[in-house]
Amino acid sequence: MSRMFTYTVSVTTGNQEFAGTNDYIYLTLVGLERCSDQTLLDKSFFDSFARGSVASVDVSVKEILGDIVLVKLQKGKFLFNDQWYCRCINVTTPSGEHFEFPCYRWIANEQEVVLRDAKGRLPQDDNMKAIRRMELESRQRMFRWKEWRTGFPLSIDANTSSELPLDIQFETAKSVDFSLNFIEAIANLGLNEFMKLFQSSWTYIEDFRKIFVKIKNTVSEHVMQNWNEDLMFGYQFLNGCNPVMISKCMNLPDNFAVTQEMVERSLDRGLTLHEELKEGNLYIADYAILEGVQPNATDPDTQQYLAAPFCLLYKNRQNEILPIAIQLRRQTTAEVFLPSDDQYDWMLAKMWVKCSDFNVHQLVTHLLRTHLTSEVFTIAMYRQLSAVHPIYKLLIPHVRYTVAINTAAREKLISESGVFEKANGTGGIAVVEVINKAMKTLTYKSMCFPESVKARGVDNKDELPNYYYRDDGMMVWEAVRSFVSDVVRIYYSSDESVQEDEEIQAFVQDVCFSGMKNCPQNGEFPEFLKTREQLVEYMTVVIFTASAQHAAVNFGQFDWFAWVPNSPSTMRKPPPTQKGQVDMKYIMESLPDRGRASWHLGAVWALSQFQDGELFLGVYPDNYFTEQPVIEATTTFRKKLIEVTNIIKNRNEKLKLPYWYLSPDRIPNSVAI
């Protein structure tokens, strides 16, 4: 009787629900010298599984296979085509050697899945190039580019969430059902009675408290109590939900009609407007992107309006940022509203700025510059990087659910008759108009955090203190950059090794020439990476955008936008053209009605919630990397993130209004909501 050699195969399933009862899978071990016969994993094997558990099977062969280089799983079915989530497979050889094969995939649709071992390999160093090529060709058939709207960044070619590849879908459909989530939020917040009075205006500002009764939130309550103060208005340009609009004012725009005489009462240093400008104490928020945009016209019973204001801000001797002049129209003959004006004129002018800010935030800061750009990086990664590529392993935690959330948004949120149209002034055709305009300024360098704050002239802590978005963002950027640098230097021995990496070059080219092709000059996204430093910066952009930048502009929506007078989602009367003609009745008729206010509140509540089972920055439960140097680099990364978290925590304990949005323990790894 000939001797048999036994290989023990340990299979780890995921925590996801799986059917399994009708599955059968053939498993084949491929060694350097020979292959095993197929081993059947049938109903009895899958019955031994609980979610997240491990089951083992012995594979007996007559001859030693050599080092195990591949595991093949071939899916079949009985009466039904079930699906099964496999985390990883470990193989123990007869001599006691261990080989690990990460999977983290759904096995479905009678497919064959080929798993490589866990070692990260650059394509030029891989002796299994044919396997790599077949893997990428298969992915490119699944992950196809599509231009969902003219001028947008390209997205995935799928009309509904169910059309997405199984591996990138949400585990439960309810996670991305915006209509259901918003309706549930409206019910939870006790807003149903106001939805019945959809077109009805509120009578007094205080009436907005009626849709605020269930809120127990330090920031939102502080906003409710102080929203009309100029100090609170100015503070939000630094640390609110849209902290990217403020820029140092180097020169007053030609069509901004503000003069020395208008603002001299607001300047507390005894300097002229020109002198304050020269000293660097003036800042501006300019909403030119909204000029000429057609307001939401989807509701024939309610006319809605947009404005494209200038807002001049002043840093006083106490280093407070205060508004000192607002112009709602772009003509030099337009009225300039001032803090010294009648209280209702000034109140409404600030509301118009905040309405413009809200709509630019929703479409540009949030949707375009985090969601849609992250989807471009995600699709390019799946199309061009093999699963054994170290950059694929680096990026995969940071693309979790991104395509799924965006597909659902196109389906139900920003689509025609979607949720976005119910409350926002930029609903309807304005969505496309604003995104098309914003694409003209979407560049690679504008996505590099240090470059972006420097370009706005707000990078100096001494000149502009208490800008926590900038300060925390720089700490997180540096922690991510350092981690990426460690990983890159483990796998890339030189700049030449970057240049020779055909997959990474294909990745950046796919981003430039496909995903971002609608940006002027392709957004100046790199066509080729020449050095390790360029690769480090590029991957830092990808990870930071999906994690920190999205967290900074998403999870504060309820805090800052829930009190409707502070951030109206739309306006129902045109902006005033003269002073002295506005009263509280005009203001209330301008603000969102009861129904729109309720939709707005439900939306910002739902969008501000973390996903169930959220994974925060640096938390990587799936072991894509197994090499010890990368494990050590990841440990160092986590330690740096803890240090940043503690710095932020200690600072916040001294603040009346803490800033948490860029605390690493509150930054999800990916765009998933």
Side-chain angles (χ1 to χ4, degrees), residues 191-319:
L191 307 179
N192 286 326
E193 63 177 293
F194 302 109
M195 295 295 290
K196 300 171 186 175
L197 305 169
F198 194 82
Q199 306 288 345
S200 174
S201 297
W202 304 91
T203 306
Y204 305 104
I205 290 286
E206 292 73 21
D207 289 345
F208 285 103
R209 292 175 183 263
K210 294 176 181 177
I211 59 170
F212 213 63
V213 291
K214 290 196 175 183
I215 296 169
K216 299 295 180 185
N217 177 301
T218 302
V219 176
S220 60
E221 289 183 353
H222 187 86
V223 171
M224 178 184 68
Q225 294 162 4
N226 301 282
W227 68 277
N228 197 34
E229 295 178 6
D230 288 355
L231 182 59
M232 171 58 72
F233 180 88
Y235 175 87
Q236 292 176 70
F237 286 98
L238 299 180
N239 302 312
C241 202
N242 193 23
V244 301
M245 296 302 297
I246 186 171
S247 298
K248 180 174 282 190
C249 188
M250 310 304 292
N251 295 287
L252 290 169
D254 292 339
N255 52 345
F256 193 0
V258 64
T259 65
Q260 160 69 23
E261 291 71 28
M262 291 178 183
V263 299
E264 59 186 352
R265 291 171 57 182
S266 297
L267 309 178
D268 67 356
R269 292 182 177 85
L271 302 176
T272 66
L273 178 63
H274 179 73
E275 289 168 338
E276 294 281 16
L277 190 70
K278 199 171 180 181
E279 289 292 315
N281 296 322
L282 293 179
Y283 294 83
I284 193 167
D286 187 348
Y287 298 90
I289 193 171
L290 295 177
E291 183 178 11
V293 172
Q294 179 179 319
N296 188 343
T298 59
D299 180 359
D301 296 323
T302 302
Q303 191 165 355
Q304 298 176 64
Y305 299 88
L306 292 171
F310 296 110
C311 181
L312 190 64
L313 300 155
Y314 176 59
K315 185 189 72 172
N316 65 16
R317 287 186 295 180
Q318 288 73 46
N319 287 321

Side-chain angles (χ1 to χ4, degrees), residues 19-21 46 80 87 108 115 126 182 221 289 323 440 445 508 531 535:
T21 55
F46 285 101
F80 305 99
R87 286 179 58 83
L115 304 181
D126 198 341
F182 289 3
E221 289 183 353
I289 193 171
K440 295 176 181 177
K445 283 299 181 183
V508 298
T531 68
L535 176 59

Side-chain angles (χ1 to χ4, degrees), residues 272-514:
T272 66
L273 178 63
H274 179 73
E275 289 168 338
E276 294 281 16
L277 190 70
K278 199 171 180 181
E279 289 292 315
N281 296 322
L282 293 179
Y283 294 83
I284 193 167
D286 187 348
Y287 298 90
I289 193 171
L290 295 177
E291 183 178 11
V293 172
Q294 179 179 319
N296 188 343
T298 59
D299 180 359
D301 296 323
T302 302
Q303 191 165 355
Q304 298 176 64
Y305 299 88
L306 292 171
F310 296 110
C311 181
L312 190 64
L313 300 155
Y314 176 59
K315 185 189 72 172
N316 65 16
R317 287 186 295 180
Q318 288 73 46
N319 287 321
E320 298 166 336
I321 297 295
L322 299 169
I324 61 171
I326 293 171
Q327 183 176 307
L328 301 179
R329 288 179 168 82
R330 312 297 291 186
Q331 298 80 19
T332 54
T333 56
E335 192 71 83
V336 178
F337 294 91
L338 308 167
S340 56
D341 290 341
D342 176 84
Q343 63 170 325
Y344 296 128
D345 285 333
W346 184 235
M347 178 190 292
L348 184 57
K350 288 189 293 182
M351 286 177 173
W352 266 106
V353 171
K354 292 308 306 267
C355 179
S356 301
D357 189 78
F358 173 84
N359 281 281
V360 171
H361 166 273
Q362 292 294 313
L363 290 181
V364 182
T365 309
H366 184 210
L367 175 63
L368 174 61
R369 287 186 165 266
T370 64
H371 279 259
L372 300 185
T373 54
S374 290
E375 182 172 3
V376 168
F377 295 134
T378 301
I379 296 171
M381 182 204 77
Y382 278 114
R383 285 173 53 82
Q384 305 300 346
L385 300 182
S386 166
V388 298
H389 198 296
I391 299 301
Y392 177 95
K393 294 171 179 281
L394 177 70
L395 295 185
I396 189 71
H398 302 286
V399 303
R400 180 176 182 250
Y401 296 150
T402 297
V403 178
I405 197 72
N406 287 0
T407 302
R410 287 186 286 270
E411 217 179 328
K412 295 185 178 179
L413 185 62
I414 57 173
S415 59
E416 292 183 14
S417 304
V419 174
F420 193 85
E421 291 187 348
K422 296 183 183 298
N424 296 351
T426 47
I429 195 173
V431 172
V432 176
E433 291 183 8
V434 173
I435 295 292
N436 281 187
K437 284 189 171 189
M439 287 290 283
K440 295 176 181 177
T441 60
L442 177 58
T443 63
Y444 170 71
K445 283 299 181 183
S446 72
M447 297 184 69
C448 298
F449 189 82
E451 298 272 355
S452 68
V453 294
K454 186 175 182 179
R456 291 188 287 116
V458 293
D459 53 315
N460 191 309
K461 289 186 178 183
D462 295 328
E463 291 182 0
L464 186 60
N466 308 319
Y467 192 6
Y468 309 126
Y469 162 75
R470 173 202 60 205
D471 300 341
D472 299 355
M474 288 300 295
M475 289 191 291
V476 176
W477 172 274
E478 180 53 34
V480 172
R481 190 206 63 79
S482 180
F483 173 54
V484 172
S485 180
D486 288 345
V487 173
V488 165
R489 291 182 184 280
I490 289 167
Y491 292 98
Y492 293 87
S493 59
S494 64
D495 292 341
E496 287 73 24
S497 59
V498 174
Q499 298 166 24
E500 294 166 2
D501 185 344
E502 60 184 24
E503 289 183 11
I504 209 69
Q505 303 302 342
F507 170 86
V508 298
Q509 288 164 17
D510 217 5
V511 170
C512 179
F513 297 116
S514 296

Side-chain angles (χ1 to χ4, degrees), residues 108-137:
N109 301 323
E110 300 181 85
Q111 66 185 131
E112 180 181 80
V113 174
V114 178
L115 304 181
R116 304 284 304 275
D117 65 47
K119 184 179 179 181
R121 292 179 178 86
L122 299 180
Q124 62 265 38
D125 302 328
D126 198 341
N127 59 3
M128 303 185 74
K129 290 181 171 58
I131 295 291
R132 254 182 127 111
R133 186 167 57 252
M134 289 171 59
E135 175 195 7
L136 292 176
E137 288 172 354

